[in-house]
Amino acid sequence: MTTSQPSRTDARSTVETVFRMESPRIIAGVTRVVRDVGIAEELAQDALVAALEQWPRDGVPDNPGAWLMAIARRRAVDLVRRRENYARKLAEIGRDLSETAPPEEPADPEDIDDDLLRLVFTTCHPVLSAEARTALTLRLLGGLTTPEIARAFLVPEATVAQRIVRAKRTLATKNIAFEVPYGPDREARLGSVLDVIYLIFNEGYAATAGDDWLRPSLCEDALRLARLLSALMPKEPEVHGLAALLEFQASRTAARTGPRGEPVLLRDQNRSRWNRMLIARGIKALSRAEATSPALGFARPGGPPSGAPGPYVLQATIAACHAHAYSYEDTDWPAIATLYALLAARAPSPVVELNRAVAVSMAEGPGPALQIVDALADEPALHDYHLLPSVRGDLLARLGRTTEARAEFERAAALTRNERERELLLERARECGS
């Protein structure tokens, strides 16, 4: 049954909108049949072409997503039937593939029978490079086109296209199973999934390069993926922790830029512009993280730290401290410094130490914080990291060492590849010279 016949333009627009919304589920469903994400994407595209041909003529189906899925799965079954080994497989299973349930997986109390979740773990498989995981996830789960991904990350379209093609080929040649991992392997693999989503969000939240400080569309894509994963894996506290972290950070978006698109630092933001609905979503997600792990009893601002929560839950709790503060000065900086110390113990990295230094500077003063920063001077990972001299410049300025501070801000400006951030750092340098 179809709706009344729309105009060709309206039907095409409907097809494109529905396909963008439904393509991840279609690709996931078809991958279960053909066991190859590259072929599954091609079959999903075939269904799109069929819709573009038929819907303008016959009308839009009552359930367009199901129509697209049916076409794609039918073509997947036809493809498998044509394979040389189909007769052998048919003899083994004893009935038509189109009527066959997907292969059973090992019995496991944590089994999650969801094709979308399988697709998430496939596109974020550690066998792929970080860049390939990001591009493939945005393509297959985010519904972005190759040009859109290229624009978002300011890289040539050909580069993105090559990453996607190579990623699909790698998954196929290495026979990566289309599955949700089990037992200890799940935790290791889940970390890769969460890292990909967080990387996508961060590139939108504070762009590495280019003329814009924010790329909201990337933040929205990452938020959508985090919410999807949270719904698919309700018993995983780190999944809820990531969702909470992104909700809290996204709540500040409107306050993070000024009238000319210039960056506005956290201490200078108008908190009345923070999105209270997203903050409420973040609080709810953090509560789910607490409910799914008894060790998270500390997870309210001001509560005593205890247990061993994961890094995303810790970061979300830090973000919650900011969300609950009416002003920068009212922030519970001692609690944040303690949480960063826990994070440094749970997931040590020079960047975490640098962030801890900022919290310590507010809780104890710039002097103790400068000692932490100076201890990071020889860290190879921070050699070209512009935020190291930026933080050091801020601490020196607060200590009255303005000449040194100006030099640090100028060094930070030379290292950043984001024009908006460069302008801000050079302005800080000028302030130190006045």
Side-chain angles (χ1 to χ4, degrees):
M1 182 177 180
T2 59
T3 60
S4 59
Q5 189 170 12
S7 70
R8 181 171 293 273
T9 301
D10 290 344
R12 184 179 185 88
S13 176
T14 300
V15 171
E16 292 172 350
T17 299
V18 170
F19 186 76
R20 184 151 190 160
M21 293 172 60
E22 297 292 334
S23 61
R25 296 183 184 279
I26 296 169
I27 293 169
V30 173
T31 301
R32 176 169 242 191
V33 177
V34 299
R35 300 285 163 168
D36 186 307
V37 295
I39 294 174
E41 187 186 16
E42 292 175 6
L43 293 170
Q45 292 288 339
D46 286 348
L48 171 63
V49 171
L52 289 170
E53 292 173 349
Q54 296 182 39
W55 292 7
R57 182 188 66 227
D58 303 333
V60 178
D62 289 337
N63 191 335
W67 189 97
L68 288 166
M69 177 69 84
I71 294 295
R73 285 183 66 88
R74 189 179 308 143
R75 297 193 178 190
V77 170
D78 289 342
L79 176 64
V80 174
R81 280 178 174 150
R82 291 196 298 269
R83 290 176 176 171
E84 293 181 355
N85 64 352
Y86 179 73
R88 178 179 56 80
K89 288 185 176 182
L90 185 61
E92 290 174 355
I93 62 177
R95 59 182 182 274
D96 194 310
L97 180 63
S98 63
E99 300 174 354
T100 302
E104 290 186 1
E105 297 187 338
D108 188 284
E110 295 181 339
D111 184 31
I112 302 172
D113 187 18
D114 192 291
D115 290 338
L116 262 179
L117 192 57
R118 298 168 196 268
L119 185 61
V120 170
F121 276 94
T122 300
T123 61
C124 297
H125 198 285
V127 75
L128 305 175
S129 69
E131 295 83 3
R133 283 179 241 164
T134 301
L136 193 61
T137 299
L138 284 173
R139 176 65 173 267
L140 299 186
L141 283 154
L144 274 66
T145 63
T146 298
E148 287 172 333
I149 299 170
R151 283 197 300 272
F153 285 92
L154 302 180
V155 295
E157 288 184 30
T159 300
V160 173
Q162 288 172 359
R163 288 175 183 170
I164 292 172
V165 169
R166 288 171 183 166
K168 293 175 184 175
R169 185 184 303 131
T170 298
L171 293 174
T173 57
K174 292 187 178 293
N175 295 317
I176 300 302
F178 183 62
E179 64 182 8
V180 176
Y182 294 86
D185 190 38
R186 175 176 295 179
E187 183 177 355
R189 290 274 300 280
L190 180 59
S192 173
V193 172
L194 300 180
D195 289 348
V196 168
I197 297 174
Y198 194 38
L199 187 154
I200 293 169
F201 183 89
N202 276 340
E203 188 57 36
Y205 192 68
T208 304
D211 298 328
D212 298 317
W213 174 241
L214 292 174
R215 294 183 194 137
S217 61
L218 273 181
C219 292
E220 292 166 6
D221 286 322
L223 259 176
R224 182 155 41 87
L225 290 172
R227 291 167 182 168
L228 169 67
L229 196 60
S230 184
L232 295 176
M233 304 188 75
K235 297 181 180 180
E236 293 286 350
E238 275 291 85
V239 172
H240 297 307
L242 175 65
L245 175 61
L246 301 196
E247 300 284 4
F248 286 132
Q249 290 185 322
S251 73
R252 308 174 198 161
T253 299
R256 294 187 71 241
T257 54
R260 295 177 289 104
E262 69 276 14
V264 178
L265 300 178
L266 180 63
R267 68 184 175 210
D268 300 321
Q269 289 174 16
N270 178 357
R271 300 194 174 206
S272 67
R273 300 188 67 198
W274 286 7
N275 189 314
R276 309 313 298 183
M277 182 189 73
L278 292 181
I279 290 175
R281 291 185 68 121
I283 293 171
K284 186 174 181 179
L286 191 53
S287 296
R288 285 196 292 267
E290 181 177 348
T292 54
S293 177
L296 301 184
F298 76 98
R300 297 183 182 89
S306 64
Y312 285 110
V313 174
L314 284 168
Q315 291 178 80
T317 308
I318 291 168
C321 289
H322 290 296
H324 283 274
Y326 290 104
S327 69
Y328 191 72
E329 293 72 24
D330 290 337
T331 305
D332 190 348
W333 291 108
I336 291 177
T338 300
L339 288 165
Y340 268 120
L342 288 172
L343 182 60
R346 183 72 166 78
S349 84
V351 173
V352 170
E353 274 296 286
L354 187 61
N355 288 329
R356 185 172 76 87
V358 174
V360 168
S361 77
M362 297 303 298
E364 304 176 23
L370 186 60
Q371 295 178 17
I372 298 173
V373 172
D374 285 345
L376 298 171
D378 296 327
E379 280 287 346
L382 300 182
H383 180 69
D384 294 321
Y385 190 53
H386 68 283
L387 291 182
L388 177 61
S390 174
V391 170
R392 191 168 191 275
D394 183 71
L395 297 175
L396 290 168
R398 289 168 57 189
L399 288 167
R401 297 161 59 177
T402 54
T403 301
E404 295 171 81
R406 182 172 64 251
E408 291 294 329
F409 285 130
E410 289 173 347
R411 178 169 168 251
L415 288 174
T416 185
R417 292 187 291 134
N418 185 281
E419 290 301 322
R420 296 292 189 176
E421 197 167 23
R422 181 178 290 112
E423 292 171 5
L424 174 66
L425 290 165
L426 290 175
E427 178 60 30
R428 295 292 307 277
R430 285 190 290 270
E431 291 172 357
C432 291
S434 60

